[in-house]
Amino acid sequence: MPPSPSPRPHGTEPPIRDRGDACPGALRLHSAADGHLARVRLPAGDLTVRQAEALADAADRLGDGHLSLTSRGNAELRGLPDGCGAQLAALLRDAGLLPSERHERIRNILASPLAGLDRHTPADVRLWARDLDQLLCASNSTTALSGRFLFVLDDGRGDVATLGGDVSLVAEGGWGLSGSGCPDGAGGSALLRVGDDPAALRIAGPDVPRAALAAAEAFLAAAEASGSGAWRVRELPDGYGLTARVVAERLHAAGMGAAYLAGAPGEAAQVATASAPYTAPAPYADSSAPGVIEGADGERALSVLAPLGRLSVAQWRLLTGVADADGVGALRLTPWRGIVIPGLSADTADARLRELSDAGLITGPDSPWHHIGACTGRPGCAKSRTDVRADATASVRAGTPVPVPVDGPVPVPCPGDAPGPDDGPVPVPGPGEGVPSLAPGEPRPDNHALRHLPVYWSGCERRCGHPHGAWVDVLATADGYRVAVVRPETPPAAPPAPATPASATSRTS
């Protein structure tokens, strides 16, 4: 069974949405304190060199000279001036980054970044991502999806399966690989999950893109019937929740087989209480770690991370140049705010990695910047209490990425909750200052575990862009930075599944 996604916090009521989501896009820009912001969706994080050059040109000519990487493998441009929308759209359209303007905000597809690249690779689910993107852009109904609805395609190593997908598919074994390293389409299967339902459906590999689309259409039907205006599967109210059984009926009606599999007892709890970031199971490469990835036939891929998720145009053009001169003319953005460059030779990989390190990119897991993140902060975000990026940079350079003693755990609201007041600049406290005490009897976090957790600096209670799972929360308050460990709640055990209906098991793979 694939790992269960993190559920909605226990006891919380789903929100009632009386408007559409405000997520920015490439055409619908967001007005920020530092100018307008554009978010360019990149399904599976895929970019050709030409497309990457177009983004660099847009950042250079129209933006602030930087590109930001998001936790969904997308790219953002900041500091855009008034009236630049048409020029930006033309740049992106000419590069093939706007295949359907009606769908540009709903092309949210995450896929395992190293699929097809490492030596022991599972199935290349990235082909599923491309087919799914084409189906989304050809569908009239999918324009009703929110800009937050997320598809996740995991190649079996478990790297993206727990990143909060509304529709998640995890490849199973049994794939035949063609000479190109891609699925031959004749075998294999995937396990499909929706929202928090611990149950899964086994889908034949060739049906995966259509099954993902059908699951999204089932969500839209449930959202309309509920009258809740839900943006995501977890927001559907009781009585209208989307489950694997509901999706199975829709798949059967469309002529697709789906074998129902009840959730493994305790499995969801095991994932939700994990105290360390994702690590790849042997023998797969860790797609969140920077370095050289060894592939078949002597090929190499480079995996690097952007410090605090931000790259200068010069750094971006260097990456693009390596992909063009030494790779296969392509780049992949990752949900860990990184870039993968496939197709290098063993002779050139190490030298190019050193060049990227010299340019300020994170190229090894021993970098002090590894696992350090931050929201936009001031001056880009008016809601932030301080320039958290400057403070995080100063702390990393001082050798103290966690600036004060750590307490925890603490609850974290869902993104979109009302922020705290704008209290002005935040002082970086000294040891022991600005940190709440532990509750009586509450255990102090294990220091060994803390060294392996992501650290995320936030300028307000929204904590925009924070990691999934367990992480160290460095939150700006009026009195300094409050530091605590955030751990997801343990979800309830899955109820026993009733007998599988015949309609849900008409075909297995």
Side-chain angles (χ1 to χ4, degrees), residues 103 124 222 295 343:
H103 298 82
D124 192 345

Side-chain angles (χ1 to χ4, degrees), residues 218-234:
F219 161 76
L220 289 173
E224 182 178 7
S226 73
S228 65
W231 297 342
R232 307 200 62 186
V233 170
R234 294 166 184 82

Side-chain angles (χ1 to χ4, degrees), residues 196-272:
D196 297 334
D197 188 355
L201 302 175
R202 177 170 284 123
I203 309 295
D207 289 338
V208 163
R210 287 196 303 142
L213 175 63
E217 291 172 339
F219 161 76
L220 289 173
E224 182 178 7
S226 73
S228 65
W231 297 342
R232 307 200 62 186
V233 170
R234 294 166 184 82
E235 295 178 357
L236 291 169
D238 292 341
Y240 296 92
L242 187 63
T243 66
R245 291 193 181 280
V246 172
V247 174
E249 293 174 2
R250 182 173 284 258
L251 296 183
H252 176 69
M256 288 178 277
Y260 183 91
L261 302 172
E267 175 192 24
Q270 179 183 357
V271 172

Side-chain angles (χ1 to χ4, degrees), residues 17-82:
R17 304 292 191 185
D18 56 2
R19 61 174 177 81
D21 73 277
C23 283
L27 302 178
R28 188 171 83 180
L29 307 185
H30 169 72
S31 180
D34 58 346
H36 294 285
L37 177 152
R39 182 176 298 158
V40 184
R41 265 68 174 189
L42 305 171
D46 281 340
L47 278 172
T48 65
V49 163
R50 178 168 173 256
Q51 291 170 336
E53 289 173 342
L55 289 175
D57 290 343
D60 214 5
R61 299 177 196 171
L62 305 175
D64 64 0
H66 292 80
L67 293 103
S68 298
L69 310 185
T70 77
S71 60
R72 291 186 170 190
N74 296 319
E76 287 184 349
L77 304 167
R78 300 192 66 95
L80 300 169
D82 293 337

